[in-house]
Amino acid sequence: MATGLTRDARSYSGVGTLRALRPARASREALAVSELRFVRMGFGADAVEYQEAWDEQRRVHAARFADEIPDTVLLLEHPPVYTAGRRTTDGERPLDGTPVIDVDRGGKITWHGPGQLVGYPIQKLPRPVDVVAHVRRLEEALIRTCAEFGLETSRVEGRSGVWILGDPVERRPAPGGLSLDFDPRLQDEEFDPRLNGPEYAPSNAGQRREDRKIAAIGIRVAKGVTMHGFALNVNPDNRWFDRIIPCGIRDAGVASLAGELGREVTIAEVLPVVERHLADVLRNADLKPREVERAPA
C-alpha cells in the first residue's frame, strides 16, 4: 500500500546509526532531560522487516542507556508480520500455522503491516520505573492524534491501547439476526471468533457496534530504558487480525482511522501529527520517580 513516504535524510541503518544521532559534546544530564528525536526508518515500498527494526531497537537502546544519544522514537511500517508477546498462549496464534515472531515485549499477539504506523520510543525513565505511566503517555499522544482527525477515542479500564467505545450491549445489532442473548461470547470465556464465521471476526467489530482497538501498545523496559511501543491502524486491511485473537481479547475487535472516518487516510497525513503529539507529551512529561509509600518500621 503506497504511503507517499520513503526513507529520508533522517533515516538511517547499520553502523551509521549511533554516529548520526550522537550530539556533539552534549552532557549526560542534558541528554537525559531535554532532547527527543524522531527517526523515520521506512514506509511503503521501503517498509522495514521486523527483525531489522528489532535489531535497530537494540542498538539504539544500548546507546541510550550509555547516554550516547537522546531519547529517540523510531517510526516505520512493517511488511505483514505477526508478533507474540510473552503472555501469548498457543490458542491465540493463527490456526493455519502462519509463522509468528516471538518477542520480548509485554502483551500478547498482534499483527503489523501496510497501513499501520508503528512507533518505537526508546526513552530513559527515572527509577523506580513507572511502566504504566509510560503506557498512559503513549495512549495520550495517540488519543490526541485521533481527535485531530475528528475521531473520539478512549481508554478501557484494564486494557492498554486506544479504543473506540461501542454501544451498550442491549443497543447492538444482533449478529446473523439472532438475539444477543445467544451471543456465545457472553457466556463462553473460550469462545473463538476464528471458528464462528465472519459475523464474529475482529475486523467486523465496528458493524456490530462493539468496543474496538485502533492502537495497540506493548513495551519492555530494560535497564530503565523503554523498547517496543505502539501500532496505530491508519488504513490497513484489518482482516489480517481475523487469523488471531488480537491481544488475547475475545470480546472486542479492531478498527482503523480510515474505516471509522469513512474516508481515505494515509500514513503520510498521520505521521507528522503523531510526531507532534508525541513530542508534546513526552517532552513535557513529569518523569520524576513515583513516591513509594513505605510501611512504618
Side-chain angles (χ1 to χ4, degrees):
M1 181 179 298
T3 63
L5 291 166
T6 58
R7 295 179 191 266
D8 61 18
R10 286 175 289 180
S11 301
Y12 61 89
S13 61
V15 178
T17 299
L18 305 184
R19 287 197 297 270
L21 288 177
R22 184 181 293 118
R25 299 182 181 178
S27 70
R28 289 192 175 190
E29 182 179 1
L31 281 173
V33 300
S34 66
E35 295 191 56
L36 176 68
R37 297 191 179 185
F38 293 92
V39 178
R40 299 179 179 183
M41 287 189 66
F43 304 88
D46 292 318
V48 184
E49 292 289 343
Y50 190 84
Q51 188 64 53
E52 178 187 348
W54 195 5
D55 291 343
E56 192 67 0
Q57 281 194 72
R58 287 191 280 250
R59 283 192 288 268
V60 177
H61 180 278
R64 183 64 190 96
F65 174 70
D67 283 326
E68 295 174 342
I69 62 172
D71 292 337
T72 300
V73 182
L74 307 179
L75 294 161
L76 60 145
E77 268 181 296
H78 286 303
V81 61
Y82 293 104
T83 69
R86 294 186 297 263
R87 297 192 298 111
T88 303
T89 66
D90 290 341
E92 293 159 355
R93 296 169 182 262
L95 291 177
D96 60 4
T98 299
V100 175
I101 297 177
D102 289 281
V103 296
D104 56 357
R105 61 167 169 79
K108 296 197 172 191
I109 191 167
T110 193
W111 171 84
H112 299 307
Q116 185 185 75
L117 177 57
V118 176
Y120 298 130
I122 299 174
Q123 182 180 25
K124 179 170 282 191
L125 302 178
R127 298 179 184 275
V129 170
D130 192 338
V131 177
V132 173
H134 178 65
V135 170
R136 294 293 172 263
R137 287 191 289 271
L138 299 183
E139 290 171 345
E140 179 63 25
L142 297 175
I143 287 171
R144 294 183 188 181
T145 296
C146 292
E148 189 159 328
F149 282 88
L151 181 63
E152 182 180 357
T153 58
S154 181
R155 296 179 176 89
V156 171
E157 185 176 356
R159 293 178 170 177
S160 67
V162 177
W163 292 80
I164 298 162
L165 300 182
D167 294 338
V169 172
E170 63 272 11
R171 288 171 47 194
R172 297 177 190 171
L178 298 176
S179 166
L180 282 172
D181 292 340
F182 297 98
D183 188 332
R185 291 165 300 175
L186 300 182
Q187 305 297 332
D188 184 359
E189 293 183 356
E190 296 302 315
F191 172 80
D192 192 334
R194 297 169 297 180
L195 299 176
N196 287 269
E199 66 269 24
Y200 292 106
S203 61
N204 289 337
Q207 297 177 27
R208 297 191 299 271
R209 305 302 305 162
E210 296 175 347
D211 291 354
R212 47 215 184 269
K213 183 182 287 189
I214 195 168
I217 294 176
I219 67 168
R220 178 181 182 226
V221 180
K223 300 180 179 179
V225 180
T226 65
M227 292 182 67
H228 302 287
F230 66 85
L232 174 63
N233 295 331
V234 177
N235 59 358
D237 181 350
N238 277 343
R239 289 174 296 180
W240 284 95
F241 289 101
D242 296 345
R243 297 186 186 183
I244 60 175
I245 306 296
C247 302
I249 298 173
R250 299 174 185 271
D251 62 348
V254 293
S256 69
L257 271 172
E260 294 295 325
L261 296 174
R263 63 177 178 86
E264 181 63 17
V265 184
T266 67
I267 296 285
E269 291 178 74
V270 175
L271 181 58
V273 180
V274 166
E275 288 177 335
R276 176 159 40 82
H277 288 297
L278 278 172
D280 183 52
V281 170
L282 297 182
R283 282 176 176 153
N284 296 321
D286 182 2
L287 295 181
K288 293 179 181 177
R290 290 173 296 166
E291 294 184 7
V292 178
E293 294 185 6
R294 302 184 183 279

